[in-house]
Amino acid sequence: LALALAPTSSVDDSFNRRKVQILLGGPDTIRFDNPGKLGKVASSPDGKSVAMISVVDKHDPAPGRLVVGSVETGEMKDVLPDYPGHVVDVAWVDADTVAFVGDEGTGTVVGSVNADGSGLSATPTGDLVVTAFSVAWNGRTAALVAQSPKHPGELFRAEIGGGRTTRLTNSNPWLADMAFAAQEVVTYKARDGLELQGVLIKPLGYKEGSRVPLVLDVHGGPESHVRNGWLTGYSLPGQVLAARGIAVFLPNYRGSTGRGVEFSKLGQGDPAGKEFDDLIDAVDHFIKVGLADKDKVGVTGGSYGGYATAWCSTRHSDRFAAGVMFVGISDKISKTGTTDIADEEFLVHALRRPWDDWNLLLERSPIYHVEKARTPLLILHGKEDPRVFPGQSMELYRFLKVRGQAPVRLVFYPGEGHGNLRAASRLDYNLRMVAWLTHYLQGPGGSMPPAEVEYEGPKATPAVKDRRFNGVAAQ
C-alpha cells in the first residue's frame, strides 16, 4: 500500500512535508525521503517501483520533477534531470516505462521514459493543451483531458506511441457557432533582458495597427502559469472582454512554472520586485508595438494575481486606469500572520520570516503606497477565505476609502473561501468584473458603475445574438 503522509493535519504540513511510504505487510515499511512539495504518486504494475512528481529541494515552489523510487531499497532517481518544464501527470505504461504529461512554456507534451532514465521521448500536443491523462491496463491507449483556445476541457483517446487522437466528448456544442477572438503566444523581454512569454487575446475583429484598451490578467501562485488553451471563466475575462473590444494579456512572469525549477525560483525573496516589473514591461511592450492605448490599461487577477492588481493600482497607479482585485494581498506583514500556509510562504517565496526584515515586507505591501493610488479599484473576496484572510481586502479598502482619491468598492461573498465555488457567486463576480473594466476602459469613467447587478443581462438583439458568451451579450 502506497501512502503519502504528512506529520500533522496542518495545511502547511500537507503542502510541504508529505512523505511517500510503502506498507509491505507486517512491520516492514519503506520510507522515501522526498523533499518539500509532492504531486501525484503512481505504483508500477509489478509493484516494484513508485513514480512520483516531486521537487528538487524544500525551496522548490512546485512539484514538477519525475522521480522513480525502488520499493526494495527506498532509493530515488530523477529520471528527467534538468527538465525545462514541469511534469503535471504521470502513469505507468508497463513495469519499466513511465508516461507523463509535461508543461513546457505555454504548451504541453506527452512523453515516456524508462524507469532508469533512458529512452526519453516526448511529443508536443500542438493546438491541444493536455491537463491530465490515464493509461489503459494494456499500455496501448490513453485517455486525455485536453482543451484548446476554442473549447474547455474535453475527453480524448490517444494511441500510445504517437498514433491517432480521437475526441470523445463535446460538452458545449453551442461553442461551434461562437465567434472567437484571435489568441496567440507573445514573447517579450523584461528590462533586465530576461525573455518572457504570455498569451494575448486580441479584440474580436481587431484591425491591425489600431490601439485598443488592454487588460493584464495576472495568474496566482506565483507557482502557476498560463497555457495557450481555454482562458475564459468566471474570474478570467478572456473572450468576454475581447468580444467587447478589449485586448487581454496573460503574462507568465518570472516565478511562473512551465520553464523549469530555476525560472520558478526567480521571484523568491523579492516580493513585488522584478516579478511585477515584468508586468509593467509587458504593458510597455504592447504600447511600443502599437496595440495598447497607454491611457486605457487595466489589471485583474486572484490571490497572488490579486496582490499584483493591488500593487499595480497603488505603486504603479499612474499606469493603470482600472483594477479588479480578487482574494488578493495588500499587507505582507498581516498576511503572513493570518494565512494557513505561513511555512509555505517562508520556504518557497519569502525565504525569510517577517521579523528578519519588517521594512521589506512593509515596503512591498500595496497599503504602503496608497497615497499614490488614483486607479478605480473593485475588490472582491470570499468571506471565509483561510488562505488570504478577508482582512487583506478590508484593510486596503479602508485606506483607499479614507483617502478618497479614487473610486473603490468592496464585495464580500458569504460562504466562499479562496476562490468562488458557487455558481451564483461566480456569475456575480464575472458580471461585476466586466462591468467595472468596461466602465473605466471604454465607458464614461468617473463615478462607479451601479452596485446592483442585472443577473439576467440585457436582451440580445439579432446583431449580437450569435456572439453571446456565458449568458452575457457582447456589446
Side-chain angles (χ1 to χ4, degrees), residues 382-393:
K383 203 170 183 179
E384 277 67 57
D385 186 352
R387 186 67 32 85
V388 177
F389 189 68
Q392 291 291 304
S393 287

Side-chain angles (χ1 to χ4, degrees), residues 193-242:
L194 182 65
E195 189 172 274
L196 301 167
Q197 281 190 329
V199 179
L200 172 69
I201 306 175
K202 293 182 178 179
L204 189 65
Y206 174 71
K207 294 181 180 179
E208 292 295 332
S210 59
R211 291 191 180 274
V212 296
L214 171 72
V215 168
L216 283 187
D217 188 353
V218 187
H219 69 70
E223 64 276 28
S224 176
H225 75 286
V226 177
R227 306 175 178 101
N228 188 24
W230 181 258
L231 294 175
T232 303
Y234 83 93
S235 62
L236 296 171
Q239 294 283 339
V240 173
L241 284 187

Side-chain angles (χ1 to χ4, degrees), residues 363-380:
E363 292 167 4
R364 300 298 174 88
S365 297
I367 58 165
Y368 186 74
H369 302 278
V370 291
E371 74 279 2
K372 303 170 187 172
R374 299 293 188 277
T375 302
L377 183 62
L378 173 62
I379 305 172
L380 308 109

Side-chain angles (χ1 to χ4, degrees), residues 310-370:
W311 184 256
C312 290
S313 300
T314 54
R315 172 64 179 80
H316 296 288
S317 183
D318 59 317
R319 304 297 304 272
F320 294 90
V324 177
M325 169 188 174
F326 185 40
V327 293
I329 302 161
S330 69
D331 183 339
K332 292 289 287 184
I333 294 176
S334 61
K335 187 266 184 181
T336 306
T338 53
T339 184
D340 60 352
I341 53 170
D343 277 350
E344 197 257 3
E345 167 80 13
F346 163 66
L347 289 169
V348 305
H349 299 303
L351 305 184
R352 58 169 67 85
R353 297 293 187 181
W355 42 88
D356 295 328
D357 194 341
W358 293 107
N359 285 335
L360 175 68
L361 292 187
L362 177 60
E363 292 167 4
R364 300 298 174 88
S365 297
I367 58 165
Y368 186 74
H369 302 278
V370 291

Side-chain angles (χ1 to χ4, degrees), residues 49 54 69 71 117 211 224 276 289 353 377 406 411 417 423:
S49 302
S54 185
V71 171
R211 291 191 180 274
S224 176
F276 289 170
V289 299
R353 297 293 187 181
L377 183 62
V411 178

Side-chain angles (χ1 to χ4, degrees), residues 141-197:
T141 58
L144 311 173
V145 176
Q147 55 179 263
S148 82
K150 293 188 177 181
H151 67 78
E154 297 284 2
L155 184 63
F156 292 76
R157 181 178 61 209
E159 297 176 4
I160 298 293
R164 183 177 59 181
T165 298
T166 305
R167 179 170 169 173
L168 302 179
T169 60
N170 186 11
S171 304
N172 295 278
W174 58 277
L175 289 175
D177 299 323
M178 180 63 56
F180 283 92
Q183 181 171 311
E184 63 187 51
V185 176
V186 171
T187 299
Y188 70 100
K189 283 192 175 182
R191 64 192 66 181
D192 62 358
L194 182 65
E195 189 172 274
L196 301 167
Q197 281 190 329

Side-chain angles (χ1 to χ4, degrees), residues 42-46 49-51 66 68 79 90-100 111-121 133 135-139 160-161:
S43 297
S44 63
D46 62 3
S49 302
V50 173
L66 179 50
V68 174
V79 297
V90 62
W92 289 85
V93 177
D94 54 44
D96 300 312
T97 311
V98 185
F100 65 93
S112 64
V113 63
N114 294 332
D116 62 4
S118 64
L120 171 64
S121 107
F133 80 146
V135 176
W137 65 271
N138 60 12
I160 298 293

